[in-house]
Coordinates of all heavy atoms in Angstrom, one line a residue:
M1 N 35.3 19.7 39.1 CA 34.2 18.8 39.0 C 33.3 19.4 37.9 O 32.9 20.5 38.0 CB 33.6 18.6 40.3 CG 32.4 17.7 40.3 SD 31.6 17.6 41.9 CE 31.4 15.9 41.9
T2 N 32.9 18.5 37.0 CA 31.9 18.9 36.0 C 30.5 18.6 36.4 O 30.3 17.5 36.9 CB 32.2 18.2 34.6 OG1 33.6 18.4 34.3 CG2 31.4 18.7 33.5
K3 N 29.7 19.6 36.2 CA 28.2 19.3 36.5 C 27.5 19.2 35.2 O 27.7 19.9 34.3 CB 27.7 20.5 37.3 CG 28.2 20.6 38.7 CD 27.5 21.7 39.4 CE 28.1 21.8 40.8 NZ 27.4 22.9 41.6
F4 N 26.5 18.3 35.2 CA 25.7 18.1 34.1 C 24.3 18.5 34.4 O 23.8 18.2 35.5 CB 25.7 16.6 33.6 CG 27.0 16.1 33.1 CD1 27.9 15.5 33.9 CD2 27.3 16.4 31.8 CE1 29.1 15.1 33.4 CE2 28.6 16.0 31.3 CZ 29.5 15.3 32.1
V5 N 23.6 19.1 33.5 CA 22.2 19.5 33.7 C 21.4 18.6 32.7 O 21.7 18.6 31.5 CB 22.0 21.0 33.4 CG1 20.6 21.4 33.5 CG2 22.9 21.8 34.3
I6 N 20.4 18.0 33.3 CA 19.5 17.2 32.5 C 18.2 18.0 32.3 O 17.6 18.3 33.2 CB 19.3 15.8 33.1 CG1 20.6 15.1 33.3 CG2 18.3 15.0 32.3 CD1 20.5 13.8 34.1
W7 N 17.9 18.2 31.0 CA 16.7 18.9 30.7 C 15.6 17.8 30.5 O 15.8 16.8 29.8 CB 16.9 19.7 29.4 CG 17.8 20.8 29.6 CD1 19.2 20.8 29.3 CD2 17.6 22.1 30.1 NE1 19.8 21.9 29.6 CE2 18.8 22.8 30.1 CE3 16.5 22.7 30.6 CZ2 18.9 24.1 30.6 CZ3 16.6 24.0 31.1 CH2 17.8 24.7 31.1
S8 N 14.5 18.1 31.0 CA 13.3 17.2 30.8 C 12.6 17.7 29.6 O 12.5 18.9 29.3 CB 12.4 17.1 32.0 OG 11.8 18.3 32.2
S9 N 12.1 16.8 28.8 CA 11.3 17.1 27.7 C 10.2 16.1 27.5 O 10.3 15.0 28.0 CB 12.1 17.3 26.4 OG 12.7 16.0 26.1
V10 N 9.2 16.4 26.7 CA 8.2 15.5 26.4 C 8.7 14.5 25.4 O 9.3 14.9 24.4 CB 6.9 16.2 25.8 CG1 5.9 15.3 25.4 CG2 6.4 17.2 26.8
V11 N 8.5 13.2 25.7 CA 9.0 12.2 24.8 C 7.7 11.7 24.0 O 6.7 11.3 24.6 CB 9.6 11.0 25.6 CG1 10.0 9.9 24.7 CG2 10.8 11.5 26.4
T12 N 7.9 11.7 22.7 CA 6.8 11.2 21.9 C 6.9 9.7 21.7 O 8.1 9.2 21.6 CB 6.8 11.9 20.5 OG1 8.0 11.7 19.9 CG2 6.5 13.4 20.6
P13 N 5.9 9.0 21.7 CA 6.0 7.5 21.5 C 6.5 7.2 20.1 O 6.3 8.0 19.1 CB 4.5 7.1 21.6 CG 3.7 8.2 21.4 CD 4.5 9.4 21.8
P14 N 7.2 6.1 20.0 CA 7.8 5.7 18.7 C 6.7 5.4 17.7 O 5.6 5.1 18.0 CB 8.6 4.5 19.0 CG 8.0 4.0 20.2 CD 7.5 5.1 21.0
K15 N 7.0 5.7 16.4 CA 6.0 5.3 15.4 C 5.8 3.9 15.3 O 6.6 3.1 15.7 CB 6.6 5.8 14.0 CG 6.6 7.3 13.8 CD 7.0 7.6 12.4 CE 6.9 9.1 12.2 NZ 7.2 9.4 10.8
R16 N 4.6 3.5 14.9 CA 4.2 2.1 14.9 C 4.9 1.4 13.7 O 5.0 0.2 13.7 CB 2.7 1.9 14.7 CG 2.0 2.3 15.9 CD 0.5 2.1 15.8 NE 0.1 2.1 14.4 CZ -1.1 1.6 14.0 NH1 -1.9 1.0 14.9 NH2 -1.4 1.6 12.8
E17 N 5.3 2.1 12.7 CA 5.9 1.5 11.5 C 7.1 0.7 11.9 O 8.0 1.1 12.7 CB 6.3 2.5 10.5 CG 6.7 1.9 9.1 CD 6.8 2.9 8.1 OE1 6.2 4.0 8.2 OE2 7.5 2.7 7.1
G18 N 7.3 -0.5 11.4 CA 8.3 -1.4 11.8 C 7.9 -2.4 12.9 O 8.5 -3.4 13.0
A19 N 7.0 -2.0 13.7 CA 6.5 -2.9 14.7 C 5.4 -3.7 14.1 O 4.6 -3.2 13.3 CB 5.9 -2.1 15.9
A20 N 5.3 -4.9 14.6 CA 4.3 -5.8 14.0 C 2.9 -5.4 14.5 O 2.7 -5.0 15.7 CB 4.5 -7.2 14.5
M21 N 1.9 -5.4 13.7 CA 0.6 -5.1 14.0 C 0.0 -6.3 14.8 O 0.2 -7.4 14.5 CB -0.3 -4.9 12.8 CG -0.1 -3.6 12.1 SD -1.2 -3.4 10.7 CE -2.7 -3.0 11.5
K22 N -0.9 -6.0 15.8 CA -1.6 -7.0 16.5 C -2.6 -7.6 15.5 O -3.1 -6.9 14.6 CB -2.3 -6.4 17.7 CG -1.4 -5.9 18.8 CD -2.2 -5.5 20.0 CE -1.6 -4.4 20.7 NZ -2.4 -3.8 21.7
E23 N -3.0 -8.8 15.7 CA -4.0 -9.4 14.8 C -5.3 -8.7 14.9 O -6.0 -8.6 13.9 CB -4.1 -10.9 15.2 CG -5.0 -11.6 14.1 CD -5.1 -13.1 14.3 OE1 -4.3 -13.7 15.1 OE2 -6.0 -13.7 13.7
S24 N -5.7 -8.2 16.1 CA -6.9 -7.5 16.3 C -6.9 -6.2 15.5 O -8.0 -5.9 14.9 CB -7.2 -7.2 17.7 OG -6.2 -6.5 18.3
D25 N -5.8 -5.5 15.4 CA -5.7 -4.3 14.7 C -5.8 -4.6 13.2 O -6.4 -3.9 12.4 CB -4.4 -3.6 14.9 CG -4.3 -3.0 16.4 OD1 -5.4 -2.8 17.0 OD2 -3.2 -2.8 16.8
L26 N -5.1 -5.7 12.8 CA -5.1 -6.1 11.4 C -6.5 -6.5 10.9 O -7.0 -6.1 9.9 CB -4.2 -7.3 11.2 CG -3.8 -7.7 9.8 CD1 -3.0 -6.6 9.1 CD2 -3.0 -9.0 9.8
K27 N -7.2 -7.2 11.8 CA -8.6 -7.6 11.5 C -9.5 -6.3 11.4 O -10.3 -6.2 10.4 CB -9.1 -8.5 12.6 CG -10.5 -9.1 12.3 CD -10.9 -10.1 13.4 CE -12.3 -10.6 13.0 NZ -12.8 -11.6 14.0
E28 N -9.4 -5.4 12.3 CA -10.2 -4.2 12.3 C -9.9 -3.4 11.0 O -10.8 -2.9 10.4 CB -9.9 -3.3 13.5 CG -10.7 -2.1 13.7 CD -10.4 -1.3 14.9 OE1 -9.9 -1.9 15.9 OE2 -10.5 -0.1 14.9
L29 N -8.7 -3.3 10.7 CA -8.3 -2.5 9.4 C -8.8 -3.3 8.2 O -9.3 -2.7 7.3 CB -6.8 -2.3 9.4 CG -6.2 -1.3 8.4 CD1 -6.9 0.0 8.6 CD2 -4.7 -1.2 8.6
G30 N -8.7 -4.6 8.2 CA -9.2 -5.4 7.1 C -10.7 -5.3 6.9 O -11.2 -5.2 5.8
E31 N -11.5 -5.2 8.0 CA -12.9 -5.0 8.0 C -13.2 -3.6 7.3 O -14.2 -3.5 6.6 CB -13.5 -5.1 9.3 CG -13.5 -6.5 9.8 CD -14.0 -6.7 11.3 OE1 -14.2 -5.7 12.0 OE2 -14.0 -7.8 11.8
A32 N -12.5 -2.6 7.7 CA -12.7 -1.3 7.1 C -12.4 -1.3 5.6 O -13.1 -0.7 4.8 CB -11.8 -0.2 7.8
I33 N -11.4 -2.0 5.2 CA -11.0 -2.2 3.8 C -12.2 -2.9 3.1 O -12.6 -2.4 2.0 CB -9.7 -2.9 3.6 CG1 -8.6 -2.1 4.1 CG2 -9.5 -3.3 2.2 CD1 -7.2 -2.8 4.2
L34 N -12.7 -4.0 3.6 CA -13.8 -4.7 3.0 C -15.0 -3.8 2.9 O -15.7 -3.8 1.8 CB -14.2 -5.9 3.8 CG -13.4 -7.1 3.6 CD1 -13.8 -8.2 4.6 CD2 -13.6 -7.6 2.2
K35 N -15.3 -2.9 3.9 CA -16.4 -2.1 3.8 C -16.3 -1.1 2.7 O -17.3 -0.7 2.0 CB -16.5 -1.3 5.1 CG -17.7 -0.4 5.3 CD -17.7 0.3 6.6 CE -18.8 1.3 6.7 NZ -18.7 2.1 8.0
E36 N -15.1 -0.6 2.4 CA -14.9 0.4 1.3 C -14.6 -0.2 -0.1 O -14.7 0.5 -1.1 CB -13.7 1.3 1.7 CG -13.9 2.1 3.0 CD -15.0 3.1 2.9 OE1 -15.4 3.5 1.8 OE2 -15.6 3.4 4.0
T37 N -14.4 -1.5 -0.2 CA -14.0 -2.1 -1.4 C -15.2 -2.2 -2.4 O -16.2 -2.7 -2.0 CB -13.3 -3.5 -1.2 OG1 -12.2 -3.3 -0.4 CG2 -12.9 -4.1 -2.5
R38 N -15.0 -1.7 -3.6 CA -16.0 -1.8 -4.7 C -15.2 -2.1 -6.0 O -14.0 -1.8 -6.0 CB -16.8 -0.6 -4.8 CG -17.2 0.1 -3.7 CD -18.1 1.3 -4.0 NE -17.4 2.4 -4.7 CZ -16.7 3.3 -4.1 NH1 -16.5 3.3 -2.8 NH2 -16.1 4.3 -4.8
S39 N -15.9 -2.5 -7.0 CA -15.2 -2.8 -8.2 C -14.7 -1.6 -8.9 O -13.7 -1.6 -9.7 CB -16.1 -3.6 -9.1 OG -17.2 -2.9 -9.4
D40 N -15.3 -0.4 -8.6 CA -15.0 0.8 -9.3 C -14.1 1.8 -8.6 O -13.8 2.9 -9.0 CB -16.3 1.6 -9.7 CG -17.1 2.1 -8.5 OD1 -16.9 1.5 -7.4 OD2 -17.8 3.0 -8.7
I41 N -13.6 1.3 -7.4 CA -12.7 2.2 -6.6 C -11.3 2.0 -7.0 O -10.8 0.9 -7.3 CB -12.9 1.9 -5.1 CG1 -12.3 3.0 -4.2 CG2 -12.3 0.6 -4.7 CD1 -12.8 3.0 -2.8
T42 N -10.5 3.1 -7.1 CA -9.1 3.1 -7.4 C -8.3 2.9 -6.1 O -8.8 3.1 -5.0 CB -8.6 4.4 -8.0 OG1 -8.7 5.5 -7.0 CG2 -9.5 4.8 -9.2
P43 N -7.1 2.4 -6.2 CA -6.2 2.2 -5.0 C -6.1 3.5 -4.2 O -6.2 3.4 -3.0 CB -4.9 1.7 -5.6 CG -5.2 1.1 -6.9 CD -6.4 1.9 -7.4
K44 N -5.9 4.6 -4.8 CA -5.8 5.9 -4.1 C -7.0 6.2 -3.3 O -7.0 6.6 -2.2 CB -5.4 7.0 -5.0 CG -4.0 7.1 -5.3 CD -3.7 8.4 -6.1 CE -2.2 8.6 -6.4 NZ -1.9 9.8 -7.0
Q45 N -8.2 6.0 -3.9 CA -9.5 6.2 -3.3 C -9.7 5.3 -2.1 O -10.2 5.7 -1.1 CB -10.6 6.1 -4.3 CG -10.7 7.1 -5.3 CD -11.7 6.8 -6.4 OE1 -11.9 5.6 -6.7 NE2 -12.3 7.8 -7.0
L46 N -9.3 4.0 -2.3 CA -9.4 3.0 -1.2 C -8.6 3.4 0.0 O -9.0 3.4 1.1 CB -9.1 1.6 -1.7 CG -9.2 0.5 -0.7 CD1 -10.6 0.4 -0.1 CD2 -8.8 -0.8 -1.3
I47 N -7.3 3.8 -0.2 CA -6.4 4.2 0.8 C -7.0 5.4 1.6 O -7.0 5.5 2.8 CB -5.0 4.4 0.3 CG1 -4.3 3.1 -0.1 CG2 -4.1 5.1 1.4 CD1 -3.0 3.3 -0.8
K48 N -7.4 6.4 0.8 CA -8.0 7.6 1.4 C -9.2 7.3 2.2 O -9.4 7.8 3.3 CB -8.4 8.6 0.3 CG -8.8 9.9 0.7 CD -9.0 10.9 -0.4 CE -9.4 12.2 0.0 NZ -9.6 13.2 -1.1
A49 N -10.1 6.4 1.7 CA -11.3 6.1 2.4 C -11.0 5.3 3.7 O -11.6 5.6 4.8 CB -12.2 5.2 1.6
V50 N -10.0 4.4 3.7 CA -9.7 3.7 4.9 C -9.0 4.6 5.9 O -9.2 4.5 7.1 CB -8.7 2.5 4.5 CG1 -8.2 1.8 5.8 CG2 -9.5 1.5 3.7
R51 N -8.2 5.5 5.4 CA -7.5 6.5 6.3 C -8.5 7.4 7.0 O -8.2 8.0 8.1 CB -6.5 7.2 5.6 CG -5.2 6.4 5.5 CD -4.0 7.2 5.0 NE -2.8 6.4 5.0 CZ -1.8 6.7 4.2 NH1 -1.9 7.7 3.4 NH2 -0.7 5.9 4.2
K52 N -9.7 7.6 6.5 CA -10.7 8.4 7.1 C -11.1 7.8 8.4 O -11.3 8.5 9.5 CB -11.9 8.7 6.2 CG -11.7 9.7 5.2 CD -13.0 10.0 4.4 CE -12.8 11.0 3.4 NZ -14.0 11.3 2.6
A53 N -11.3 6.5 8.4 CA -11.7 5.7 9.6 C -10.5 5.4 10.5 O -10.6 5.2 11.7 CB -12.4 4.4 9.2
H54 N -9.3 5.3 9.9 CA -8.1 4.9 10.6 C -6.9 5.8 10.2 O -6.1 5.4 9.4 CB -7.7 3.4 10.3 CG -8.8 2.5 10.7 ND1 -8.8 2.0 12.0 CD2 -9.8 1.9 10.1 CE1 -9.8 1.2 12.1 NE2 -10.5 1.1 10.9
P55 N -6.9 7.1 10.6 CA -5.9 8.0 10.2 C -4.5 7.6 10.5 O -3.6 8.1 9.9 CB -6.3 9.3 10.8 CG -7.3 9.0 11.9 CD -7.9 7.6 11.6
E56 N -4.3 6.8 11.5 CA -3.0 6.4 11.9 C -2.4 5.3 11.1 O -1.2 5.0 11.2 CB -3.0 6.0 13.4 CG -3.6 4.6 13.7 CD -5.1 4.5 13.5 OE1 -5.8 5.5 13.4 OE2 -5.6 3.3 13.5
A57 N -3.2 4.7 10.2 CA -2.7 3.5 9.4 C -1.8 4.0 8.3 O -2.0 5.0 7.6 CB -3.9 2.8 8.8
T58 N -0.7 3.3 8.2 CA 0.3 3.5 7.1 C -0.2 2.8 5.9 O -1.0 1.9 6.0 CB 1.7 3.0 7.5 OG1 1.7 1.6 7.6 CG2 2.2 3.7 8.8
K59 N 0.4 3.2 4.8 CA 0.0 2.5 3.5 C 0.4 1.0 3.6 O -0.3 0.1 3.2 CB 0.8 3.1 2.3 CG 0.5 2.5 1.0 CD 1.2 3.3 -0.1 CE 1.1 2.6 -1.4 NZ 1.8 3.2 -2.5
K60 N 1.6 0.7 4.2 CA 2.1 -0.6 4.4 C 1.1 -1.5 5.2 O 0.8 -2.6 4.9 CB 3.4 -0.6 5.0 CG 4.1 -1.9 5.0 CD 5.6 -1.7 5.6 CE 6.4 -3.0 5.5 NZ 7.8 -2.8 5.9
E61 N 0.6 -0.9 6.3 CA -0.4 -1.6 7.1 C -1.7 -1.8 6.4 O -2.3 -2.9 6.5 CB -0.7 -0.8 8.4 CG 0.5 -0.8 9.3 CD 0.3 0.2 10.5 OE1 -0.5 1.2 10.3 OE2 1.0 0.0 11.5
I62 N -2.1 -0.9 5.5 CA -3.4 -1.0 4.8 C -3.2 -2.2 3.8 O -4.1 -3.0 3.6 CB -3.7 0.3 4.1 CG1 -4.2 1.3 5.1 CG2 -4.9 0.1 3.1 CD1 -4.4 2.7 4.6
V63 N -2.0 -2.3 3.1 CA -1.8 -3.3 2.2 C -1.8 -4.7 2.9 O -2.4 -5.7 2.4 CB -0.5 -3.1 1.4 CG1 -0.1 -4.3 0.6 CG2 -0.6 -1.9 0.5
R64 N -1.1 -4.8 4.0 CA -1.1 -6.0 4.8 C -2.5 -6.4 5.2 O -2.9 -7.6 5.1 CB -0.3 -5.8 6.1 CG 1.2 -5.9 5.9 CD 1.9 -5.9 7.2 NE 3.3 -5.8 6.9 CZ 4.2 -5.3 7.8 NH1 3.8 -4.8 8.9 NH2 5.5 -5.3 7.5
A65 N -3.3 -5.5 5.6 CA -4.7 -5.7 6.0 C -5.5 -6.2 4.8 O -6.4 -7.0 5.0 CB -5.3 -4.5 6.7
A66 N -5.2 -5.6 3.7 CA -5.9 -6.0 2.4 C -5.7 -7.5 2.2 O -6.6 -8.3 1.8 CB -5.5 -5.2 1.3
F67 N -4.4 -8.0 2.3 CA -4.1 -9.4 2.1 C -4.8 -10.2 3.2 O -5.3 -11.3 2.9 CB -2.6 -9.6 2.2 CG -1.8 -9.4 0.9 CD1 -0.9 -8.4 0.8 CD2 -2.1 -10.2 -0.2 CE1 -0.2 -8.2 -0.4 CE2 -1.4 -10.0 -1.4 CZ -0.5 -9.0 -1.5
Y68 N -4.8 -9.7 4.4 CA -5.5 -10.4 5.5 C -7.0 -10.6 5.1 O -7.6 -11.7 5.3 CB -5.3 -9.7 6.8 CG -6.0 -10.3 8.0 CD1 -5.4 -11.3 8.7 CD2 -7.3 -9.9 8.3 CE1 -6.1 -11.8 9.8 CE2 -8.0 -10.4 9.4 CZ -7.3 -11.4 10.2 OH -8.0 -12.0 11.2
A69 N -7.6 -9.5 4.7 CA -9.1 -9.5 4.4 C -9.3 -10.4 3.2 O -10.3 -11.1 3.1 CB -9.6 -8.1 4.1
L70 N -8.4 -10.4 2.2 CA -8.5 -11.2 1.1 C -8.6 -12.7 1.5 O -9.4 -13.5 1.1 CB -7.3 -11.0 0.1 CG -7.1 -12.0 -1.0 CD1 -8.3 -11.9 -2.0 CD2 -5.8 -11.7 -1.7
I71 N -7.6 -13.1 2.3 CA -7.5 -14.5 2.7 C -8.8 -14.9 3.6 O -9.4 -16.0 3.4 CB -6.3 -14.8 3.5 CG1 -5.1 -14.6 2.6 CG2 -6.2 -16.1 4.2 CD1 -3.7 -14.5 3.3
A72 N -9.2 -14.0 4.5 CA -10.3 -14.3 5.4 C -11.6 -14.3 4.7 O -12.6 -15.0 5.2 CB -10.3 -13.3 6.5
N73 N -11.8 -13.6 3.6 CA -13.1 -13.5 3.0 C -13.2 -13.9 1.6 O -14.2 -13.7 0.9 CB -13.5 -12.0 3.1 CG -13.7 -11.6 4.5 OD1 -14.6 -12.0 5.2 ND2 -12.8 -10.8 5.0
A74 N -12.2 -14.6 1.0 CA -12.2 -15.0 -0.4 C -13.4 -15.9 -0.7 O -14.0 -15.7 -1.8 CB -10.9 -15.8 -0.7
D75 N -13.8 -16.8 0.1 CA -14.9 -17.7 -0.2 C -16.3 -17.0 0.0 O -17.3 -17.4 -0.7 CB -14.9 -19.0 0.7 CG -14.9 -18.7 2.2 OD1 -14.5 -17.5 2.6 OD2 -15.2 -19.6 2.9
R76 N -16.4 -16.0 0.9 CA -17.7 -15.4 1.1 C -18.0 -14.3 0.1 O -19.2 -14.0 -0.2 CB -17.7 -14.8 2.5 CG -17.9 -15.9 3.6 CD -18.0 -15.3 4.9 NE -16.6 -15.1 5.3 CZ -16.2 -14.5 6.4 NH1 -17.1 -13.9 7.2 NH2 -14.9 -14.4 6.7
E77 N -17.0 -13.5 -0.3 CA -17.2 -12.4 -1.2 C -16.2 -12.4 -2.3 O -15.2 -11.6 -2.3 CB -17.1 -11.1 -0.4 CG -18.2 -11.0 0.7 CD -18.1 -9.7 1.4 OE1 -18.5 -8.6 0.8 OE2 -17.7 -9.6 2.6
P78 N -16.4 -13.3 -3.3 CA -15.4 -13.4 -4.4 C -15.1 -12.2 -5.2 O -13.9 -11.9 -5.6 CB -15.9 -14.6 -5.2 CG -17.3 -14.8 -4.8 CD -17.5 -14.2 -3.5
E79 N -16.1 -11.3 -5.4 CA -15.9 -10.1 -6.1 C -15.0 -9.1 -5.4 O -14.0 -8.5 -5.9 CB -17.2 -9.4 -6.5 CG -18.1 -10.2 -7.3 CD -19.0 -11.2 -6.5 OE1 -19.1 -11.0 -5.3 OE2 -19.5 -12.1 -7.1
K80 N -15.2 -9.0 -4.1 CA -14.4 -8.1 -3.3 C -13.0 -8.7 -3.1 O -12.0 -8.0 -3.1 CB -15.0 -7.9 -1.9 CG -16.1 -6.9 -1.9 CD -16.5 -6.6 -0.5 CE -17.6 -5.5 -0.5 NZ -18.0 -5.0 0.8
A81 N -12.9 -10.0 -3.0 CA -11.6 -10.7 -2.9 C -10.8 -10.4 -4.2 O -9.6 -10.2 -4.1 CB -11.8 -12.2 -2.7
A82 N -11.4 -10.5 -5.3 CA -10.6 -10.2 -6.6 C -10.1 -8.8 -6.6 O -9.0 -8.5 -7.0 CB -11.5 -10.5 -7.8
A83 N -11.0 -7.8 -6.2 CA -10.6 -6.4 -6.2 C -9.5 -6.2 -5.1 O -8.5 -5.5 -5.4 CB -11.8 -5.5 -5.8
L84 N -9.6 -6.8 -4.0 CA -8.5 -6.7 -3.0 C -7.2 -7.3 -3.4 O -6.1 -6.8 -3.2 CB -8.9 -7.4 -1.7 CG -9.9 -6.6 -0.8 CD1 -10.4 -7.5 0.4 CD2 -9.3 -5.3 -0.3
Q85 N -7.3 -8.4 -4.1 CA -6.1 -9.1 -4.6 C -5.4 -8.1 -5.6 O -4.2 -7.9 -5.5 CB -6.4 -10.4 -5.3 CG -5.2 -11.1 -5.8 CD -5.5 -12.4 -6.5 OE1 -6.6 -12.7 -6.9 NE2 -4.5 -13.3 -6.6
D86 N -6.1 -7.5 -6.5 CA -5.5 -6.6 -7.5 C -4.9 -5.4 -6.8 O -3.8 -5.0 -7.1 CB -6.6 -6.1 -8.5 CG -7.1 -7.2 -9.4 OD1 -6.4 -8.2 -9.5 OD2 -8.2 -7.0 -10.0
F87 N -5.6 -4.9 -5.8 CA -5.1 -3.7 -5.0 C -3.8 -4.1 -4.3 O -2.8 -3.4 -4.4 CB -6.2 -3.2 -4.0 CG -5.6 -2.3 -2.9 CD1 -5.3 -1.0 -3.2 CD2 -5.4 -2.8 -1.7 CE1 -4.8 -0.2 -2.3 CE2 -4.9 -2.0 -0.7 CZ -4.6 -0.7 -1.0
A88 N -3.9 -5.1 -3.5 CA -2.7 -5.5 -2.7 C -1.5 -5.8 -3.5 O -0.4 -5.4 -3.2 CB -3.1 -6.7 -1.8
I89 N -1.6 -6.6 -4.6 CA -0.5 -6.9 -5.4 C 0.1 -5.7 -6.1 O 1.3 -5.5 -6.2 CB -0.9 -8.0 -6.4 CG1 -1.1 -9.3 -5.7 CG2 0.2 -8.2 -7.5 CD1 -1.6 -10.5 -6.5
A90 N -0.8 -4.8 -6.6 CA -0.3 -3.6 -7.3 C 0.4 -2.7 -6.3 O 1.5 -2.1 -6.7 CB -1.5 -2.9 -7.9
Q91 N -0.1 -2.6 -5.1 CA 0.6 -1.7 -4.1 C 1.9 -2.3 -3.7 O 2.9 -1.6 -3.5 CB -0.3 -1.5 -2.9 CG -1.5 -0.7 -3.2 CD -1.2 0.6 -4.0 OE1 -0.5 1.4 -3.5 NE2 -1.8 0.8 -5.1
R92 N 2.0 -3.6 -3.6 CA 3.3 -4.2 -3.2 C 4.3 -4.0 -4.4 O 5.4 -3.8 -4.1 CB 3.1 -5.7 -3.0 CG 2.6 -6.1 -1.6 CD 3.8 -6.2 -0.7 NE 3.4 -6.3 0.7 CZ 3.3 -7.5 1.4 NH1 3.5 -8.6 0.7 NH2 3.0 -7.5 2.6
M93 N 3.8 -4.2 -5.6 CA 4.7 -4.0 -6.7 C 5.2 -2.6 -6.8 O 6.4 -2.3 -7.0 CB 4.0 -4.4 -8.0 CG 3.8 -5.9 -8.2 SD 2.9 -6.4 -9.6 CE 3.7 -5.6 -10.9
N94 N 4.3 -1.6 -6.5 CA 4.8 -0.2 -6.5 C 5.8 0.1 -5.4 O 6.8 0.8 -5.7 CB 3.5 0.7 -6.3 CG 2.7 0.8 -7.5 OD1 3.1 0.5 -8.6 ND2 1.4 1.2 -7.3
D95 N 5.6 -0.5 -4.3 CA 6.6 -0.3 -3.2 C 7.9 -1.0 -3.5 O 9.0 -0.4 -3.2 CB 6.0 -0.9 -1.9 CG 4.9 -0.1 -1.3 OD1 4.7 1.0 -1.7 OD2 4.2 -0.6 -0.4
D96 N 7.9 -2.1 -4.1 CA 9.1 -2.8 -4.5 C 9.9 -2.0 -5.6 O 11.1 -1.9 -5.5 CB 8.9 -4.2 -5.1 CG 8.4 -5.2 -4.0 OD1 8.6 -4.8 -2.8 OD2 7.9 -6.2 -4.3
E97 N 9.2 -1.4 -6.5 CA 9.8 -0.6 -7.5 C 10.5 0.7 -6.9 O 11.5 1.1 -7.4 CB 8.8 -0.2 -8.6 CG 8.4 -1.3 -9.5 CD 7.2 -0.9 -10.5 OE1 6.8 0.2 -10.4 OE2 6.8 -1.8 -11.2
L98 N 9.8 1.2 -5.9 CA 10.4 2.5 -5.3 C 11.6 2.2 -4.5 O 12.5 3.0 -4.4 CB 9.3 3.1 -4.4 CG 8.1 3.7 -5.1 CD1 7.1 4.2 -4.1 CD2 8.5 4.9 -6.0
Q99 N 11.7 0.9 -4.0 CA 12.9 0.6 -3.2 C 14.1 0.2 -4.0 O 15.2 0.3 -3.6 CB 12.5 -0.6 -2.2 CG 11.6 -0.2 -1.1 CD 11.2 -1.3 -0.3 OE1 11.6 -2.5 -0.5 NE2 10.4 -1.0 0.7
N100 N 13.9 -0.2 -5.2 CA 15.0 -0.6 -6.1 C 15.6 0.5 -6.8 O 15.3 1.6 -6.9 CB 14.5 -1.7 -7.1 CG 14.2 -3.0 -6.4 OD1 14.7 -3.3 -5.4 ND2 13.3 -3.7 -7.0

């Protein structure tokens, strides 16, 4: 008769990447992006600034939240909306190029 020994170990929770973000998380991240968005900020600086407040956020989630913030605030803050549009599209294009 064969005996099996089961070792217990700490199980880490799965990464959030691949799982859909909740709308509340998306909104919260979008608000952080809006707070940091200025006409003179670079995409790298924006991602770094947002990650200070939300260190768990992935680049993909930040880009999604930028699109969300763009749609939600385009009529109220057109200057920020234009900057967010440029950021989100540029980041999506960069991601697409890396995958091909």
Side-chain angles (χ1 to χ4, degrees):
M1 175 184 227
T2 307
K3 292 185 180 182
F4 293 96
V5 178
I6 299 174
W7 295 94
S8 65
S9 63
V10 177
V11 177
T12 58
K15 288 186 176 184
R16 292 182 336 160
E17 192 169 336
M21 285 184 75
K22 293 184 214 173
E23 188 173 348
S24 60
D25 293 339
L26 193 64
K27 184 176 180 180
E28 184 179 330
L29 197 52
E31 288 171 358
I33 291 168
L34 276 175
K35 183 179 174 186
E36 298 296 335
T37 300
R38 321 182 291 279
S39 61
D40 64 336
I41 196 166
T42 67
K44 278 187 174 184
Q45 291 170 329
L46 181 58
I47 291 171
K48 187 175 181 180
V50 171
R51 281 192 174 151
K52 280 185 182 178
H54 299 273
E56 76 288 350
T58 65
K59 182 179 172 184
K60 189 174 187 177
E61 291 170 336
I62 293 171
V63 172
R64 282 185 186 153
F67 276 115
Y68 178 87
L70 167 66
I71 293 166
N73 295 288
D75 58 337
R76 287 181 274 171
E77 299 183 68
E79 297 84 20
K80 284 189 176 185
L84 283 175
Q85 182 179 19
D86 292 343
F87 164 76
I89 290 173
Q91 294 308 304
R92 277 275 172 95
M93 288 174 51
N94 287 343
D95 288 346
D96 289 344
E97 288 174 2
L98 291 175
Q99 290 178 357
N100 292 331

